[in-house]
Amino acid sequence: MVADHLVQAYRADPAHEEAAGIADRARPALVRAARRARALHAPERALALLDDALAMVTDDRERATIVEDAAAAAQAAGRSEIAERHWRRLIELRTVLGDRAGAARATARLASLLLVIQRYDAALEEVEAALDDLGEEDPEDTAAVELAGQLARAHLLRGDMPKAVAYADRALVFATRLGLIPVATDALITRGTARVQIGEQAAGIEDLNEAISQCTAHDLPGLELRARNNMAWALVADDPRRTVDTARKGFEIGRQKSIRDWAVQLASVALPAAVDTGDWDWALAAIADLESEPMSPAHRLDIGATHAVLRALRGTANPARPLTHLGPIPPDTDPQLQALADVAQAWIAFLRGRHARAANLARQAADASIGFNRHAALVLCARAAMWGRDERRLSQAMATLRDEPLSGRSASASVMTLEAGANALTRKVKAARSGYTAAIAAWRELALPLPLLLALLEREAFLRPTAAGAAEARRLIHRLGANGLTRLVVARPG
């Protein structure tokens, strides 16, 4: 209230002889009010207050402090463009003030934002340039340690797991020594995620659980959501249902605490996993709820791709509308994001019986993806090739899946299902029957209705159909509302 009163007085006559004094009283009040608003999970209000403060500031040192608060508030509010502008302004201010370490720390925060909004190459360039500017790196320089942590994240998200582990280890050691708890916790999250990706599942999950405990102990809600986000992804190859549960919980926490950047990111993890778990009504409701939320173009594309897949599975007219509504994808879009759009288009083509197009799009997506996204695209490529009786393409996709095994029950069940179909196509009937029996049992145990339905449909299509199998498939289609799959009921491939 004091801050608002002072702002109104200043605006009434900025040229008044007492205006400077009023501004000097208003700015600290506005900053205090903004920090209180952040504490009460109102980042939009905080950002508005800080904008008022910035309109009155004349000293660059004070301006830098307020800009830093504004950048953090904008990021929490999901206003990524505003946050990026403020972080870049902070780098400029710290540089002008001769604060090289402060400029480097601001660059680390900018890189963190760029990584959240999936601009991985840009983040890597920023961090590497900042490290070059620091010159001969002191391993105990706090700015260098924070930059090393973001460098680890950039390598993680670009798929270079050995470098991610190496830089995360380094950041973790020095951040712990220097008492930089948020930096150390962030590095622990990165290391745990990278460990999972290179097959050290138990060690990676242990790191992520430890990071979540540290976030709780030190009140680091933003980092906790990052840890939950990565934990959800770490689980997806084994149990997509746990992925959905973990990501949904984080999504709800993010919404409650108005940490919108991470709330949207967690939604982008929960939604594609919900395709397999059959939580389609929740997913579609969440997507509709998020339409009015501020978010980066990357997240809008990510969520739009899942929306398109769900519309195709439901048999909705013009299923690609969520993607076409976004307009052309910019040429500098990260290839992994383009791959999500390609997977959505592959699903649409597959469900329309355009198997060759589906296989080509899915393989193109796999080549641009890493981790589980690559695995899922390869599975779709193999499935489309199988239905199209393209034995060469099927063999290639299966060979790649076997050469790059992804640890986990769901991933294994996907390969088992495809191998059963491949055996059926080559008339290895006994192996096909036993393979389908094992795969269907695995899908039942994991309680994943869409993969179960696809396995049932393929068993009926590739082996001799049975009334019981077709009836069960129809029940699942009805339960899911999967009208887009009705054409596969006892359909013959080819």
Side-chain angles (χ1 to χ4, degrees), residues 231-273:
M231 178 72 84
W233 264 119
L235 295 168
V236 70
D238 182 65
D239 189 350
R241 191 161 292 284
R242 287 183 65 197
T243 291
V244 172
D245 292 344
T246 301
R248 279 183 69 173
K249 182 176 180 180
F251 170 62
E252 288 160 7
I253 291 171
R255 296 293 291 276
Q256 290 164 5
K257 296 188 175 182
S258 290
I259 309 175
R260 291 178 186 156
D261 53 342
W262 276 110
V264 172
Q265 171 58 29
L266 281 150
S268 75
V269 173
L271 291 168

Side-chain angles (χ1 to χ4, degrees), residues 158-237:
R158 294 175 79 251
D160 193 334
M161 301 307 157
K163 282 187 178 179
V165 171
Y167 280 108
D169 274 336
R170 181 178 181 179
L172 183 57
V173 167
F174 288 108
T176 302
R177 183 180 300 172
L178 295 169
L180 305 174
I181 293 172
V183 178
T185 304
D186 195 48
L188 189 61
I189 296 168
T190 298
R191 188 180 74 177
T193 309
R195 280 177 158 179
V196 170
Q197 292 293 330
I198 61 177
E200 298 175 6
Q201 183 87 6
I205 295 295
E206 184 178 348
D207 277 350
L208 290 169
N209 279 324
E210 173 62 22
I212 291 171
S213 297
Q214 289 186 18
C215 290
T216 302
H218 298 285
D219 190 26
L220 302 170
L223 283 178
E224 179 183 348
L225 293 184
R226 181 182 173 228
R228 290 186 181 279
N229 175 81
N230 291 16
M231 178 72 84
W233 264 119
L235 295 168
V236 70

Side-chain angles (χ1 to χ4, degrees), residues 48-114:
L49 291 164
L50 292 164
D51 283 343
D52 286 338
L54 285 170
M56 301 179 187
V57 72
T58 57
D59 177 75
D60 275 351
R61 290 191 183 279
E62 184 182 6
R63 191 190 315 277
T65 299
I66 298 172
V67 167
E68 185 165 0
D69 279 358
Q75 191 163 337
R79 304 285 182 177
S80 58
E81 291 182 5
I82 297 173
E84 181 179 352
R85 186 167 68 246
H86 281 314
W87 287 126
R88 292 192 184 281
R89 178 61 175 143
L90 181 61
I91 294 167
E92 292 173 2
L93 287 167
R94 296 294 188 203
T95 302
V96 168
L97 292 167
D99 183 2
R100 294 174 67 217
R105 282 192 295 273
T107 301
R109 311 292 167 80
L110 170 63
S112 179
L113 167 69
L114 294 174

Side-chain angles (χ1 to χ4, degrees), residues 271-272 275-276 280 284 287 302-316 319-323 340-348 351 380 450 484:
L271 291 168
V275 174
D276 277 358
W280 298 358
L284 290 167
I287 290 167
D302 195 334
I303 291 170
T306 301
H307 193 189
V309 172
L310 286 168
R311 286 169 62 89
L313 289 167
R314 280 272 164 99
T316 306
R321 187 183 63 80
L323 292 173
L340 297 176
D342 287 342
V343 166
Q345 294 287 4
W347 268 107
I348 293 168
L351 294 172
L380 181 54
L450 178 61

